[in-house]
Amino acid sequence: MNAKILLSKSKPIIIIVLLFILAFSLRADAVNIGGVPQNYTSLFEDQNGLPYFSEMDSYYNYRMTQDYLDHGYLGDTIQNGTSWDLHSAYPAGRSATSNALIVYITAFAYKLANLFGNVPLNEVCIWVAPFMASLAVIPAYLFVRRLSNDYGGIVAGILVGLAPAYFMHTFAGFFDTDMFNMLFPILIVGFFIMSILTKDIKTRSIYVVLSAISLLVYSVAWEGWWYMFYLLIGTAVVYILVSNYLLKMKTIKPFKEYPDKAKWLMDQHALFSLVVFAVLSTVLMSIYWGPSGFISTLTGSIGFSELHSTLQGTSYPNIYVSVGELQLPSISSVVSEVGGIIPFVLGILVVPLLLWKLKPEGTKKANNNVQNTPKRKSKPRRKAKKTKTEVAQKEVKKSSIITDPQILETKKHYLLYAVLFAVWLVGTGLMLKQGSRFLEQFALPIALGAGLFVGLIVPYIKKHVKNVTYCTLAIVIVVAAVAYSPVYGAYGTSSAVVPGTDGSMYNSLTWIGNNTSQNTVLTSWWDFGHMFTAVADRPVTFDGGSQNTPRAYWVGKALTTSNESLSAGILRMLTSSGDLGYSTLENYTHNTGKSVEILDKILPVDKQAAQTILTSQYNLTAEQAQNVLKYTHPDSPAPHELILSTDMINKAGVWSYFGSWNFQNNTGQGYSYAAGQATTQQVNGTTVIGTALSSTAAVVAQINGTKIAAGLQYQENNQTQVMEPHKLIVVQNGSVKLNQVVSNDSEFSIILINQNNTYVTVIMNKEMEDSMFTRMFFENGAGLSQFKLVHTEGGILDPYGTQVWNVNS
């Protein structure tokens, strides 16, 4: 075999290797956390010099992998045959069966890596995602190359591997299930399409079985697998209807031509694949997940539009409305996340291009003897002038369009792909109405479609650009134009990564793990819950897998209220009995608002007083009151700690929105803080302090001996104005030195914090001036008796400065 033939046969392998290297190397650069200034990188790395994970779900997957390696199943225990996680949503816990594939693959990689050295688990986790995600370029290239050429396959591989929506969730240090969201859908679709296009029944059967198995594996990887099931069913049904009944392509042949039903079904390619896939997928899913689990997932997915409902089904607010990835994406963000305007447009236009390929071909392919015959004019001719040759040409042309088997099969292929991409784009486009979390799913058909578009227009470029050099240059320009944006964007993303936490948070959790009892329960806003359970090894009130419960309201209220006893009572109820306190009471009142009103009165008082309130004011029986109080006022409450961190300042608008929820009109009000390092200067013996909020507004203060004044400075009509705060609070070296009302008409308050002659200013809505978060985080717990600061890391303006508060309730 000469070198030229060898190179030709090796070309696909070489292309695949190069595509993988491109996708993987760009992801690998993220491990350098280039978004962190070089002098501060050590704050974002552990003792082994490895960066902390980039987001919090990674810590959940990390902990599940630890559990699997430790005792052979996910979570902490087995309940009724189901793996159960007791660290999450304490005390009831929740199922730990979903998204298990990431655990199995990582555990295998960990054991494999440690055959050759001592590799920590978190290092394996850092690299699993970039490796698995980069594998998606392989089926993307092969899928598009089959219908077009290498150019189309290369573009598809680049766009799939580097689609921004996919890349930003799969770089080194991002350890989540997104790594599977391109690879398995392409395998599922690719095998299914191949089964329809393959004539040999044995090979066709193998492909459709592989498609169903791939769907099963995908269901173990991600709970959103159901959309692929609907996609293939929908594609096959639409294709059969359009091809057989609309375009008369005889996709379904008459039954009378076959001796029995089995042979008839095996010869109907699309129908055979549809039936086998549907039946086999149902069987496999029912075996693995159980029939009820399979059916509930398919039916439950139909109602997933409820994600954006204001309420949860009760009168408690729906926290999903505050989750970033569930917010509706704008058109500009959709275009950006799929790879830019060029891939977006080409990915959409691939459908009309494929439909255009269905147009009648000329007579060239039908009969070489008449291929050079000029086109006939539209002007009618007299019948006598029509020659026999012209009649023959017309008949040949008609015959080639309708009956030529090879042309008909080619048309069927184009139609199948057109239907596939149309259904895929429309289906995933509708999913975008439920939030940006589905951008990955929409980016996939866009990426494949754009690659296929390029592959299909390359022959036209070659046809019209005869000069080989110019033709090659034109093709390179087209490929570069389509691929430039995602490649450049991937480089920018990987070189600007900042981990999702730093040493302050990590050290605080390590302290908790070393200095608290194993049954201590941790409460904070839900964002960092997965990290709490993984690093501190303590259960949490709620986290990223259990955030949409009434606990969001109650934790928000514990932070927003100015009533210390109520805040401590809320935390006592949640950390000891979870949801049972308010759910038991609501079983008696049948009214969420009334139940909240009652709990507001009984949680701040002792058990005896609460008993009296329940029976005398709200007419509960003594037995009913005791049933409630054993959850709201347990005899042996669980030890618990409240964790506050700097990131909660910017999130105050969210947790205060839920904490201030009005159950009469089902609305909440979000309140905010703005904290910043102040500049100081001495002017005629007066210390002038200022923190810019914008180009036209700033928090300003003046200190002259014992006289302190502060306000909001702003520009109006080219004049500088200063507005007084409702309340001015001054904290000096951890102690409150001033707390006084300045103006009853003002809507904001100011805190001036002096720590070793370094000033920090905080401006907030006046509703938050006496909130528990303000009193603890900014005022060091001044005047509190039930909350004690037991550990602190970093300052209040550090990225993840952390305070640990012991709650005595």
Side-chain angles (χ1 to χ4, degrees), residues 365-587:
K365 295 181 180 178
N367 191 328
N368 291 332
N369 293 327
V370 295
Q371 60 180 345
N372 294 320
T373 303
K375 294 181 180 179
R376 299 181 60 187
K377 296 181 180 180
S378 59
K379 183 179 178 180
R381 291 186 175 184
R382 289 178 300 170
K383 187 174 182 180
K385 294 289 185 178
K386 188 177 294 185
T387 66
K388 293 182 179 181
T389 302
E390 291 173 330
V391 173
Q393 291 172 355
K394 183 176 180 180
E395 292 302 317
V396 168
K397 182 176 180 181
K398 180 179 178 182
S399 174
S400 68
I401 295 172
I402 298 175
T403 63
D404 188 293
Q406 184 177 355
I407 293 179
L408 186 60
E409 284 303 306
T410 302
K411 302 298 184 186
K412 287 181 179 180
H413 293 182
Y414 285 132
L415 177 63
L416 177 59
Y417 278 88
V419 170
L420 168 66
F421 279 102
V423 174
W424 207 344
L425 288 167
V426 171
T428 53
L430 292 174
M431 290 167 65
L432 289 179
K433 294 176 64 178
Q434 306 310 319
S436 58
R437 66 175 298 192
F438 298 108
L439 277 168
E440 288 177 351
Q441 285 66 46
F442 182 69
L444 181 53
I446 289 290
L448 294 174
L452 184 55
F453 189 99
V454 170
L456 292 177
I457 65 171
V458 163
Y460 293 93
I461 296 176
K462 291 182 176 180
K463 178 180 178 181
H464 292 91
V465 182
K466 303 300 183 181
N467 185 285
V468 176
T469 301
Y470 291 158
C471 179
T472 303
L473 180 61
I475 294 173
V476 169
I477 291 174
V478 170
V479 171
V482 180
Y484 172 78
S485 181
V487 172
Y488 180 78
Y491 174 77
T493 298
S494 62
S495 60
V497 167
V498 176
T501 189
D502 70 358
S504 298
M505 179 70 76
Y506 192 91
N507 293 339
S508 293
L509 297 175
T510 302
W511 181 90
I512 290 173
N514 294 332
N515 294 275
T516 64
S517 61
Q518 197 69 34
N519 64 332
T520 298
V521 184
L522 307 181
T523 299
S524 185
W525 197 237
W526 64 267
D527 306 68
F528 283 84
H530 287 320
M531 185 180 182
F532 295 169
T533 59
V535 180
D537 190 23
R538 298 292 183 270
V540 296
T541 304
F542 68 154
D543 54 29
S546 57
Q547 73 270 53
N548 196 34
T549 69
R551 300 184 189 200
Y553 164 76
W554 288 108
V555 172
K557 186 163 190 171
L559 298 171
T560 306
T561 182
S562 60
N563 187 328
E564 179 185 6
S565 296
L566 175 59
S567 180
I570 290 172
L571 297 178
R572 176 190 63 224
M573 173 181 69
L574 295 179
T575 55
S576 295
S577 61
D579 307 309
L580 295 176
Y582 46 79
S583 62
T584 300
L585 179 58
E586 193 160 342
N587 285 336

Side-chain angles (χ1 to χ4, degrees), residues 673-715:
Y673 297 93
Q677 189 79 43
T679 59
T680 62
Q681 58 179 322
Q682 297 296 321
V683 180
N684 299 326
T686 299
T687 302
V688 179
I689 302 166
T691 303
L693 300 176
S694 68
S695 60
T696 59
V699 178
V700 295
Q702 293 183 354
I703 302 176
N704 189 343
T706 59
K707 296 181 179 180
I708 304 175
L712 176 63
Q713 179 178 291
Y714 62 98
Q715 296 291 323

Side-chain angles (χ1 to χ4, degrees), residues 172-245:
F174 201 112
F175 180 56
D176 204 2
T177 56
D178 299 80
M179 67 180 80
F180 304 116
N181 282 344
M182 292 291 196
L183 176 63
F184 281 103
I186 302 175
L187 292 176
I188 295 166
V189 170
F191 286 137
F192 184 78
I193 294 299
M194 287 299 297
S195 71
I196 296 177
L197 301 181
T198 302
K199 295 182 178 180
D200 180 67
I201 185 62
K202 292 183 179 179
T203 307
R204 193 190 322 149
S205 300
I206 292 173
Y207 278 132
V208 74
V209 168
L210 288 174
S211 181
I213 292 175
S214 297
L215 181 66
L216 173 64
V217 177
Y218 190 41
S219 75
V220 182
W222 188 54
E223 62 271 15
W225 60 267
W226 48 266
Y227 91 97
M228 294 303 303
F229 181 83
Y230 288 128
L231 169 65
L232 297 194
I233 299 296
T235 296
V237 170
V238 172
Y239 170 70
I240 290 172
L241 294 176
V242 172
S243 63
N244 193 65
Y245 299 103

Side-chain angles (χ1 to χ4, degrees), residues 92-326:
R94 65 188 181 99
S95 170
T97 58
S98 63
N99 305 339
L101 185 64
I102 189 173
V103 173
Y104 300 149
I105 289 177
T106 306
F108 172 78
Y110 173 77
K111 292 180 179 180
L112 181 63
N114 280 273
L115 292 176
F116 306 97
N118 185 17
V119 184
L121 177 59
N122 64 320
E123 184 171 6
V124 175
C125 296
I126 286 173
W127 294 110
V128 166
F131 179 82
M132 291 298 302
S134 299
L135 290 176
V137 303
I138 302 174
Y141 164 76
L142 296 175
F143 179 80
V144 172
R145 177 180 181 267
R146 188 186 186 283
L147 188 65
S148 59
N149 45 55
D150 284 323
Y151 299 105
I154 290 171
V155 172
I158 293 174
L159 295 183
V160 166
L162 302 180
Y166 184 50
F167 187 90
M168 66 177 53
H169 293 138
T170 55
F171 53 74
F174 201 112
F175 180 56
D176 204 2
T177 56
D178 299 80
M179 67 180 80
F180 304 116
N181 282 344
M182 292 291 196
L183 176 63
F184 281 103
I186 302 175
L187 292 176
I188 295 166
V189 170
F191 286 137
F192 184 78
I193 294 299
M194 287 299 297
S195 71
I196 296 177
L197 301 181
T198 302
K199 295 182 178 180
D200 180 67
I201 185 62
K202 292 183 179 179
T203 307
R204 193 190 322 149
S205 300
I206 292 173
Y207 278 132
V208 74
V209 168
L210 288 174
S211 181
I213 292 175
S214 297
L215 181 66
L216 173 64
V217 177
Y218 190 41
S219 75
V220 182
W222 188 54
E223 62 271 15
W225 60 267
W226 48 266
Y227 91 97
M228 294 303 303
F229 181 83
Y230 288 128
L231 169 65
L232 297 194
I233 299 296
T235 296
V237 170
V238 172
Y239 170 70
I240 290 172
L241 294 176
V242 172
S243 63
N244 193 65
Y245 299 103
L246 183 62
L247 300 182
K248 307 298 182 181
M249 290 182 171
K250 297 182 180 180
T251 308
I252 304 298
K253 299 174 183 177
F255 176 71
K256 61 183 180 181
E257 297 180 5
Y258 298 86
D260 55 57
K261 294 180 180 179
K263 290 185 178 181
W264 172 80
L265 178 61
M266 287 188 292
D267 199 38
Q268 316 310 308
H269 296 192
L271 184 61
F272 174 84
S273 296
L274 170 62
V275 171
V276 174
F277 175 81
V279 172
L280 184 58
S281 295
T282 300
V283 171
L284 291 176
M285 292 293 186
S286 298
I287 291 174
Y288 189 86
W289 295 107
S292 60
F294 172 65
I295 294 173
S296 64
T297 300
L298 291 181
T299 56
S301 64
I302 297 175
F304 79 131
S305 60
E306 297 177 1
L307 290 174
H308 285 265
S309 173
T310 304
L311 305 178
Q312 296 180 23
T314 67
S315 293
Y316 282 105
N318 180 3
I319 199 171
Y320 284 152
V321 301
S322 70
V323 179
E325 66 176 15
L326 295 179

